[in-house]
Amino acid sequence: MRSNVVFCAIVLAGCSVTLGGAEGDFKGGRLPEAKEKLLVLEARSEGWDEATRAEYALYRGLVHHALGDRAQAVVWLRQAKDHADVLRDDDRPRLQLALDAIGKAE
């Protein structure tokens, strides 16, 4: 019975998670919370439009990079780079700075 309650709580929490909330956590330095939200959003992100999917990939990459997971950061930042033309103007410099930082580590 308890496992059903926990499962329901996780499902309900996932319904209230938004990309904006994950971005806010990232910008506020709450990296583990941002990562958790982004992981919850991954399944939903595949149905999003190109611009929202690019934004998701960017913040997923930024969070992994900030947490020191370079391999995953590269995967997600490259996805964001493939669609950089649809990113918001304020997100393009974030992408470029992260790509530059990762490039210097190679």
Side-chain angles (χ1 to χ4, degrees), residues 9 13 23 25 29 39 56 70 83-84 91 95 101 103:
E23 287 180 32
D25 283 342
L39 292 173
Y56 172 82
R70 187 180 181 286
H83 303 281
D91 278 339
L95 173 61

Side-chain angles (χ1 to χ4, degrees), residues 7 9-19 21-22 25 32-46 48 53 56 60 64 76:
F7 175 76
I10 290 170
V11 169
L12 290 173
C15 292
S16 65
V17 172
T18 64
L19 182 54
D25 283 342
E33 293 86 348
K35 181 180 176 184
E36 184 177 315
K37 287 177 181 163
L38 290 165
L39 292 173
V40 168
L41 290 170
E42 185 171 4
R44 281 191 263 163
S45 70
E46 293 181 21
W48 293 341
R53 180 76 181 148
Y56 172 82
R60 181 84 184 258
H64 282 292
W76 290 102

Side-chain angles (χ1 to χ4, degrees), residues 2 9 24 34 36 46 48 61 65 74 82 95-96 99-100 102-103:
R2 177 152 167 60
E36 184 177 315
E46 293 181 21
W48 293 341
H65 179 58
V74 167
D82 289 344
L95 173 61
Q96 193 56 56
L99 289 170
D100 290 348
I102 286 173

Side-chain angles (χ1 to χ4, degrees), residues 46-73:
E46 293 181 21
W48 293 341
D49 61 69
E50 183 184 8
T52 307
R53 180 76 181 148
E55 184 180 353
Y56 172 82
L58 170 63
Y59 281 91
R60 181 84 184 258
L62 292 173
V63 166
H64 282 292
H65 179 58
L67 290 171
D69 185 351
R70 187 180 181 286
Q72 282 298 302

